[in-house]
Amino acid sequence: MKTTKNAYLAKLTEQIQMKSVKIGRNLEGSTPPSVFIGRWSYPKVYAGPMMSPELGDTAIMDSPESWIGENKSQEDIINYRMNLVRGKHLIKIDDLENPFIEKLQDISLASKSIDSEATFGSRPTGSMLTEDSMPHGPSAVIKKFDIDAVKWDRQLEKTYYDTDLKASEAVVNLHEKNVPFTAVQKALSVGAIGSKNRRKLVPTRWSITACDSTLADQFLKEVKKFDILDTYRLFEFGSLNNYYIIILTPTEWQYEWYEAFIKLLKNEELIFSDYETTKGKKEYSIVGGCYYTAKMAVLDYLRNIKKQSGLIILREAYDGYVPLGVFNVRENIKKAMKTQYKEFETLNDALKYSGDILKIPISKYVKQGTLLNEMLHTKQTTLDMYFKS
């Protein structure tokens, strides 16, 4: 079976049935806080809040940073997301003084859930499930929307009023202040951060990759100044019908990402990959946002230990896997990097260990990829010769 990752996941999501909440044209409830900015009609976009029919604290419904650590199941997460109702209103990306957008900014900068009321043009229906963004329940054009008084997060508030601060600098600064990734991404998406004249609405999907790549670029500048690791380090972690092997190599920075989808539709075993050398990557990755979010999470680890290395990631998705958005990769990789690593003197040893855990033979990954193949077959691209002497 020859196909692209996007085509494969589109076919997969078409076959997944999810039951979303049923409501009428009027909704009284709470937003976690959560917003969604579409992209299909750009530079006009469908923007709006996502609300739950529940009143009170609904933060868990849009808090992917907590799901893995709290051992939430795939079913838990799907239930959270299918209970979020998306209101949408078509608006220009630079119409930030619109009262409706000001409410969305209030939501994105809020420190906790907000009670809210909405009236829709018709009863919200359907659901959304894609490989890029987190799923959500029914949606409809919103006619009226009101929220209770909002208390902003202190760090986000300071950044909002700093209209001389570039968006890229704001993203890095907020990360350093331990503001959750999703909170930073939402603030960027609703035009609440960045220099005054450049603020605008950014589609949710684009804002996620923008934050990941901004952080990764900054971290890589720091990491390239550090000494190189002297052995291979292997981290592993599995959850939500995925398993990850992360191998840090004793080389200058280079990176290859592999992801395998195993018998999710029939008997297929598909591997998709992409890579970059020390010179970096100019074009957008063919495997999408997961490439950037995994890179960011590992580079964050490397800068914290003040070391440089190369990076190989092998991901497998198993029967029952449902695409839930790139948060799935980000949070699993972050969790993996907090576990105790295993140390190996050669790449062959690290791959032999990996082959005993993964379901697809390592040889198939090597055949599919580029960097991994070169590292195994080029005499002078690794330090193996020194370990054997």
Side-chain angles (χ1 to χ4, degrees):
M1 176 189 291
K2 284 195 173 183
T3 184
T4 64
K5 177 187 171 184
N6 283 345
Y8 175 71
L9 290 183
K11 189 173 183 180
L12 175 63
T13 54
E14 283 175 5
Q15 298 193 18
I16 297 174
Q17 300 296 318
M18 292 188 179
K19 186 178 179 181
S20 58
V21 65
K22 292 184 178 181
I23 63 163
R25 288 182 59 191
N26 298 303
L27 174 60
E28 181 179 357
S30 175
T31 177
S34 185
V35 298
F36 189 89
I37 312 295
R39 69 183 193 277
W40 295 114
S41 48
Y42 194 90
K44 287 186 176 181
V45 293
Y46 278 103
M50 293 208 287
M51 300 170 55
S52 166
E54 300 176 20
L55 285 167
D57 184 4
T58 56
I60 190 64
M61 294 182 175
D62 199 34
S63 300
E65 288 86 357
S66 66
W67 293 337
I68 305 298
E70 294 179 10
N71 295 314
K72 300 300 183 184
S73 68
Q74 185 169 268
E75 290 70 28
D76 290 332
I77 296 168
I78 291 171
N79 184 58
Y80 295 148
R81 302 302 302 179
M82 289 297 107
N83 274 280
L84 285 177
V85 181
R86 177 189 172 196
K88 52 189 180 181
H89 180 65
L90 188 63
I91 198 161
K92 292 180 179 180
I93 60 170
D94 57 358
D95 191 9
L96 299 185
E97 295 183 3
N98 186 299
F100 181 72
I101 297 304
E102 290 176 349
K103 289 177 184 176
L104 296 188
Q105 291 183 337
D106 266 340
I107 291 171
S108 294
L109 302 178
S111 59
K112 61 180 181 179
S113 302
I114 308 160
D115 288 345
S116 47
E117 296 181 22
T119 299
F120 301 97
S122 59
R123 185 176 70 84
T125 58
S127 62
M128 186 191 79
L129 175 64
T130 72
E131 72 277 12
D132 299 296
S133 305
M134 288 186 286
H136 63 69
S139 64
V141 172
I142 198 166
K143 295 296 185 182
K144 185 179 179 182
F145 180 57
D146 293 304
I147 57 176
D148 281 358
V150 178
K151 181 179 180 180
W152 286 0
D153 174 271
R154 187 169 63 87
Q155 295 297 338
L156 290 172
E157 182 177 8
K158 287 171 61 178
T159 305
Y160 173 81
Y161 286 114
D162 190 348
T163 55
D164 293 325
L165 190 65
K166 293 180 180 179
S168 57
E169 295 171 346
V171 169
V172 174
N173 289 350
L174 289 168
H175 178 84
E176 296 298 327
K177 299 290 186 180
N178 295 315
V179 176
F181 180 93
T182 49
V184 179
Q185 171 263 312
K186 282 181 279 192
L188 176 66
S189 189
V190 297
I193 61 177
S195 52
K196 183 177 182 179
N197 295 328
R198 302 195 67 181
R199 293 186 180 188
K200 60 184 177 181
L201 299 179
V202 181
T204 295
R205 176 181 174 182
W206 299 353
S207 66
I208 293 170
T209 298
C211 287
D212 275 323
S213 57
T214 295
L215 291 171
D217 289 347
Q218 176 58 38
F219 298 162
L220 185 55
K221 290 179 184 177
E222 300 175 42
V223 165
K224 283 187 173 182
K225 298 175 183 178
F226 299 141
D227 292 336
I228 295 171
L229 281 179
D230 55 5
T231 59
Y232 293 85
R233 291 186 183 182
L234 185 148
F235 299 80
E236 57 184 306
F237 187 73
S239 75
L240 304 178
N241 296 310
N242 286 264
Y243 205 84
Y244 296 82
I245 297 284
I246 300 107
I247 302 173
L248 305 183
T249 64
T251 64
E252 292 184 334
W253 171 258
Q254 54 183 347
Y255 166 41
E256 190 155 42
W257 163 267
Y258 295 84
E259 54 188 327
F261 298 93
I262 305 172
K263 300 180 180 179
L264 302 185
L265 292 173
K266 291 183 179 179
N267 292 313
E268 78 282 0
E269 291 186 349
L270 297 178
I271 302 175
F272 302 101
S273 67
D274 202 0
Y275 75 99
E276 64 186 65
T277 64
T278 55
K279 295 180 180 179
K281 187 175 190 63
K282 295 181 179 180
E283 71 283 357
Y284 183 73
S285 174
I286 59 174
V287 295
C290 57
Y291 180 92
Y292 301 97
T293 202
K295 174 183 174 180
M296 183 278 290
V298 176
L299 282 169
D300 199 11
Y301 167 84
L302 287 171
R303 77 182 186 117
N304 285 327
I305 66 167
K306 292 181 167 51
K307 289 291 183 181
Q308 180 179 178
S309 78
L311 172 62
I312 301 291
I313 300 180
L314 308 172
R315 173 202 187 189
E316 290 187 343
Y318 306 128
D319 183 40
Y321 163 76
V322 173
L324 295 173
V326 295
F327 94 85
N328 195 351
V329 172
R330 182 186 311 110
E331 297 306 319
N332 273 283
I333 296 288
K334 285 167 59 178
K335 188 75 172 178
M337 302 313 293
K338 293 178 181 178
T339 63
Q340 179 59 49
Y341 59 82
K342 294 177 174 62
E343 208 163 28
F344 299 92
E345 289 196 345
T346 71
L347 179 57
N348 282 333
D349 290 341
L351 292 176
K352 185 176 185 301
Y353 175 86
S354 304
D356 291 337
I357 296 171
L358 299 175
K359 295 186 177 180
I360 291 182
I362 292 297
S363 59
K364 290 189 177 182
Y365 286 105
V366 174
K367 184 178 180 181
Q368 166 67 27
T370 300
L371 289 184
L372 188 54
N373 193 305
E374 290 178 358
M375 293 173 73
L376 286 171
H377 295 96
T378 302
K379 293 181 180 179
Q380 295 180 340
T381 52
T382 72
L383 298 181
D384 285 0
M385 65 187 77
Y386 296 108
F387 293 129
K388 294 174 182 176
S389 60

